[in-house]
């Protein structure tokens, strides 16, 4: 079945460490996105990519980095510069007005 | 200014009753799309319904309908005959022309009681 796979589901890291969240899709979608979700804040856009080897900052890109070397993959790195990285991270892809979301990664920094 | 406003942090409804979740939006773009998603406690986002700005009729999908009032810039979700499984967070989102990104509201938590 086609879909988006985010791994791992839960991730714990020590403060000051970089961590990379995986997002893989087999839907052949060109566009991919990363959103951050905090309680009471809804989903906020971190980065998005509309084509391989190209990506744009979203509303809250500071402290994050991404790459898009393959159409299927859009990994997100949470760097030590991100002041409050503990959150739920959702990856999505789209074609037309059809959006598919992954099941999310819950990152906890201790 | 917020592009999507959901003013109801939480809503309660009894099983089998109808409930309306409010959403207002702000855009100067004449071409846009409005989406509603359901997010159960497991975290996945489930697409419910879509309304395009040029659609003449309000969208309906099974028990879900969208009360689209373009002049008032509102796109309220109506769930008829609520079920216990409808308990979840509900998000309204907008996509403007020229962009593929979705802008989300802060969500409404719906609790359905027996």
């Amino acid at each position: 079945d086609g879909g988006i796979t985010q791994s791992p589901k839960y991730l714990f890291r020590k403060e000051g460490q970089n961590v990379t969240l995986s997002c893989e899709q087999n839907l052949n979608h060109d566009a991919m996105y990363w959103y951050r979700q905090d309680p009471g804040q809804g989903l906020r856009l971190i980065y998005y990519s509309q084509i391989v080897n190209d990506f744009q900052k979203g509303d809250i890109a500071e402290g994050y980095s991404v790459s898009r070397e393959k159409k299927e993959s859009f990994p997100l790195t949470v760097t030590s510069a991100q002041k409050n990285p503990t959150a739920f991270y959702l990856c999505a892809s789209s074609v037309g007005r059809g959006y598919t979301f992954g099941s999310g990664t819950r990152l906890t920094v201790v | 200014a917020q592009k999507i406003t959901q003013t109801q942090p939480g809503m309660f409804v009894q099983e089998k009753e109808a409930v309306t979740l409010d959403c207002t939006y702000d855009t100067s773009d004449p071409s846009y799309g409005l989406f509603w998603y359901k997010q159960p406690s497991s975290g996945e986002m489930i697409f419910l319904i879509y309304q395009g700005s040029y659609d003449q009729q309000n969208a309906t999908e099974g028990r879900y309908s969208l009360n689209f009032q373009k002049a008032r810039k509102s796109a309220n979700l109506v769930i008829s005959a609520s079920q216990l499984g409808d308990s979840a967070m509900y998000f309204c989102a907008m996509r403007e022309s020229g962009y593929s990104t979705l802008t989300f509201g802060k969500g409404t938590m719906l609790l359905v009681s027996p």
Side-chain angles (χ1 to χ4, degrees):
Chain A
D1 283 342
I4 292 187
T5 300
Q6 287 189 244
S7 60
K9 193 171 179 65
Y10 298 94
L11 191 54
F12 296 88
R13 278 296 182 268
K14 289 185 178 180
E15 196 171 334
Q17 288 182 336
N18 290 359
V19 61
T20 298
L21 281 58
S22 170
C23 177
E24 304 278 331
Q25 55 105 351
N26 60 2
L27 299 163
N28 202 34
H29 288 175
D30 284 317
M32 296 188 74
Y33 316 84
W34 274 106
Y35 287 91
R36 169 179 171 143
Q37 185 176 9
D38 297 281
Q41 290 294 319
L43 279 70
R44 294 181 290 169
L45 183 66
I46 306 172
Y47 268 98
Y48 65 103
S49 167
Q50 295 185 299
I51 199 168
V52 174
N53 292 323
D54 189 38
F55 48 82
Q56 288 78 41
K57 293 182 179 180
D59 301 317
I60 55 165
E62 185 175 351
Y64 299 97
S65 66
V66 293
S67 63
R68 187 85 188 277
E69 297 176 1
K70 299 186 301 182
K71 189 174 187 177
E72 302 80 17
S73 179
F74 191 40
L76 174 74
T77 297
V78 184
T79 75
S80 56
Q82 169 50 234
K83 298 301 180 192
N84 185 18
T86 294
F88 186 59
Y89 291 87
L90 278 163
C91 179
S93 68
S94 74
V95 62
R97 61 178 174 91
Y99 293 80
T100 302
F101 287 82
S103 55
T105 292
R106 191 166 298 278
L107 173 65
T108 302
V109 175
V110 295
Chain B
Q2 285 201 23
K3 289 201 169 186
I4 297 285
T5 302
Q6 294 181 252
T7 57
Q8 307 153 313
M11 289 283 285
F12 292 91
V13 66
Q14 277 204 309
E15 204 176 2
K16 299 179 186 172
E17 291 185 348
V19 62
T20 298
L21 306 183
D22 294 342
C23 173
T24 58
Y25 58 92
D26 182 25
T27 182
S28 56
D29 189 342
S31 178
Y32 52 89
L34 296 157
F35 300 73
W36 276 94
Y37 287 89
K38 172 185 177 181
Q39 186 183 45
S41 57
S42 55
E44 79 260 37
M45 298 289 282
I46 301 168
F47 168 74
L48 296 178
I49 199 165
Y50 170 84
Q51 179 84 43
S53 60
Y54 291 119
D55 293 344
Q56 293 297 312
Q57 296 197 346
N58 287 347
T60 61
E61 292 284 349
R63 293 188 299 113
Y64 304 107
S65 61
L66 205 151
N67 184 359
F68 182 47
Q69 298 188 41
K70 195 170 180 177
R72 297 179 61 182
K73 292 188 175 178
S74 75
N76 299 338
L77 177 70
V78 181
I79 305 175
S80 64
S82 298
Q83 301 172 357
L84 296 178
D86 293 334
S87 294
M89 279 291 288
Y90 288 80
F91 291 100
C92 180
M94 177 173 66
R95 185 181 72 178
E96 294 167 290
S97 66
Y99 298 93
S100 66
T101 58
L102 293 176
T103 301
F104 286 85
K106 294 187 176 183
T108 296
M109 171 66 79
L110 175 66
L111 290 179
V112 181
S113 61

